Amino acid sequence: MDEPTRYDEKLGEILRQSATIFADRGFHQASVRDISAETGVSLSGLYYYFKSKEELLFLIQQHCFESLLVQVAAGLEGAVGPEARLRTLIEIHLGFFVANMPEMKVLSHEADALAGEYAARVLGLKRDYVALVRGCVEPLLPPDTSLDARTATFALFGQMNWIYNWYRPSRDPDAAGLARQMADLFIAGLHGARGSAADDAADDGSDEEKRALDVAPGALGAGGAL
Amino acid sequence: MDEPTRYDEKLGEILRQSATIFADRGFHQASVRDISAETGVSLSGLYYYFKSKEELLFLIQQHCFESLLVQVAAGLEGAVGPEARLRTLIEIHLGFFVANMPEMKVLSHEADALAGEYAARVLGLKRDYVALVRGCVEPLLPPDTSLDARTATFALFGQMNWIYNWYRPSRDPDAAGLARQMADLFIAGLHGARGSAADDAADDGSDEEKRALDVAPGALGAGGAL
Amino acid sequence: MDEPTRYDEKLGEILRQSATIFADRGFHQASVRDISAETGVSLSGLYYYFKSKEELLFLIQQHCFESLLVQVAAGLEGAVGPEARLRTLIEIHLGFFVANMPEMKVLSHEADALAGEYAARVLGLKRDYVALVRGCVEPLLPPDTSLDARTATFALFGQMNWIYNWYRPSRDPDAAGLARQMADLFIAGLHGARGSAADDAADDGSDEEKRALDVAPGALGAGGAL
Amino acid sequence: MDEPTRYDEKLGEILRQSATIFADRGFHQASVRDISAETGVSLSGLYYYFKSKEELLFLIQQHCFESLLVQVAAGLEGAVGPEARLRTLIEIHLGFFVANMPEMKVLSHEADALAGEYAARVLGLKRDYVALVRGCVEPLLPPDTSLDARTATFALFGQMNWIYNWYRPSRDPDAAGLARQMADLFIAGLHGARGSAADDAADDGSDEEKRALDVAPGALGAGGAL
DNA sequence: TATGAATGAGTATTCATTCAT
DNA sequence: GATGAATGAATACTCATTCAT
């Protein structure tokens, strides 16, 4: 990984077009030749911009994720109060997703396609982001709830990230409308979810996340959750 | 597609093992050789049981989906009242998902890997299932809500199906617990989601689902949502 | 080759259908599965009738060739005079060819597909037949001609055997008409072909044919001429 | 077929060697690996020069045929009078055949191995060539003959093309001698072939050729005659 | 920066054939 | 006589990647 390829304009263009191709065809199904054809850059010429197809995927995921994190961080600054924070986060996440659908589909759907150092770095970003989202969810959990913070957090991720499977701009609400609906649904759900059983008070948080997101070889999750 | 490969015991075993391999490595990354190695059946011998790798995937998805539909149909018979129906459905869906994680991951994650007749047939099953779930969600929407039935339905699917990305039996609640939490969360969300904007009164239902699930060539969704 | 598979009714049917398949698709392109499908006999069941695909081809060629030889021998008995003999031979050859087009196409076109003992046996038949035809051609060569008997003989074979490439019953003359035209053309050609250069007097005949028809490894002819 | 592979020196070498291999072993029996071994180009490297084995065959046939057409066109320019024209054509055809035996065998013998666009393009060349040859044959047909122009034309093709089955440079006349003999034989045959039955006066020519060369699905000829 | 030419490793699939029943 | 189940060997082709220029 030594020297990460630097990020100039042309690379930016390649990443954008590649993301669309990966989103459409799937990472493994799309060939570097497809990218060559689409970008107009010769097959070997592409390797000036990335050193492997896997690095290309990494660059897409990294760039996309970092942009998302920047926007979220900026957005949360103006939000006061737990509910406002969570609403803001949902708005930004969905707004970014809808505005960058190919990249976000690739980020969500091709989590397992990276390995080694690349996987580790994206995983690091994901871990931070999951912790951040969880940090916005937990304050809204009723004190006596039986709802796990972890379950609730991933339920929210599921709601939001699944959209790449069904959302169609032409017939569904726009990003703002979608965000409002999902925020209403989820926040009302949290408020109303007060229950019987044991909660997850014993949860130490950081360590739990770590394990939850670790690559579990042979296990199903493989830590790929956003 | 003429004559679908028949379903005997040995084929059943092959499907089960292949589902695990596809879940672990991804459909396109897994080679038929991998399946040969895992099952102990020779490479060419496998082709006695299915006529292409794609048919193998289809058989897995079809069998898995049909089993799910049978269980759901049976479960709903004993459920009276809208809320009980939706709770039952969530229980069965998640119970089946957790009990058949590899198959369900393959069903959820490899939707785009099928084409042509195979895709059409699985899509038909999905359309029916989405309609059924939506039929359980709609009665619980408050009359004055601004929440789209379609959005709510896919939010639920997202919550549930996303679990293949994060759920780990050893540290998360069991299927029943998961179902209760998700049902509490979602149903409370529905109840509390009363809002401002236009509702989906104009929604004719069947036709909308149809369009929503159509393969939209070049579009991102591609109708693959569960 | 020990015990040649015996020739019963069912085998006859298989040979006929296989000849058609080989004629249509070519020997190597046609699979034993194709023959299984066409005949309705199971794949493994076919191997009761022949012990290899190559033997099947041999049986077709042998049976076809032997039938031709029988008809020719019978026909020549009633022919008196050199020209009548040659005319008769052309009539029978073309009549048989047109009436057994698939088999004769296979015999003409798939000469190189046999090897070893099978090839040797068919070659033996071919050698005899070529000698017989040449025996009918030579008496008609003018004494002072510069036309090689060998060249003339194979020119005749070329005229006749090439028909599998162009002859269509619906728009070309029937077998009798075709035979008359070709006989007229060739016999008139022989009569008129008196020339300048050296003739083939030095030709010792049998040995020449032998060499000419031998399998010449790596050479082009490969002895496959009819 | 979009962009036909371009024709450089190395490709020329590959075509030449491949033609020999196809002539020796037959198109379907020869593997691309054989060609790799013979040419010294790696298996995958070959696909830089053609995009499928079938295209390779097409390129061989096309290049060979076009060269033949060029030579024939040039040769006929200096020929005056019907007989001189036909003699010239036979000389050039046989001279080219003998000088390019592997290619011409492949052209003659592997007519059915091409399909679709490839087949159509070679067929177009063949149609033109057949028409040209027929145009050289017809003026020599006696006015009262019963010999069909079509039959005569294909008889000539049969005589000439069949040589790949028997001709051996070491023991047969050279190309010039062969041409003289075949021309003598065929032209004398035409002159002497005056007969009884209906001639082909009703023949409209171009349309007849067209039908005769059409691919007749399921029929034996399949239009592959040269 | 960029590319044409090349390659080793791998892919799904087909094939003729066998054997226990 | 006949077949379902199985297989080893081969096939055409693709892929990510490299390297001399």
Side-chain angles (χ1 to χ4, degrees), chain B residues 174-202:
Chain B
D174 64 12
L178 197 63
R180 194 185 39 73
Q181 292 194 32
M182 288 209 175
D184 286 351
L185 183 65
F186 185 71
I187 291 170
L190 287 184
H191 287 149
R194 33 200 91 232
S196 42
D199 71 354
D200 58 340

Side-chain angles (χ1 to χ4, degrees), chain A residues 62-82:
Chain A
Q62 181 188 48
H63 182 246
C64 172
F65 215 150
E66 284 175 349
S67 303
L68 172 61
L69 290 174
V70 165
Q71 291 203 14
V72 167
L76 284 185
E77 285 193 7
V80 286

Side-chain angles (χ1 to χ4, degrees), chain B residues 26-28 33 42 53 65 88 108 110 125 131-132 134 169 185 190:
Chain B
F27 174 71
H28 289 111
R33 276 178 154 86
S42 75
K53 192 188 175 192
F65 216 149
T88 301
S108 300
E110 306 291 358
L125 295 171
L132 185 149
R134 182 172 172 152
L185 183 65
L190 287 184

Side-chain angles (χ1 to χ4, degrees), chain D residues 14-58:
Chain D
I14 290 172
L15 294 192
R16 227 167 296 131
Q17 296 183 272
S18 302
T20 302
I21 293 172
F22 288 159
D24 284 353
R25 259 165 280 196
F27 174 70
H28 288 112
Q29 276 318 91
S31 75
V32 183
R33 276 177 154 84
D34 293 336
I35 292 163
S36 167
E38 187 73 17
T39 57
V41 181
S42 74
L43 188 51
S44 49
L46 288 171
Y47 283 85
Y48 182 78
Y49 292 96
F50 48 83
K51 38 190 200 281
S52 68
K53 193 189 174 192
E54 200 184 355
E55 193 195 58
L56 171 59
L57 176 59
F58 167 72

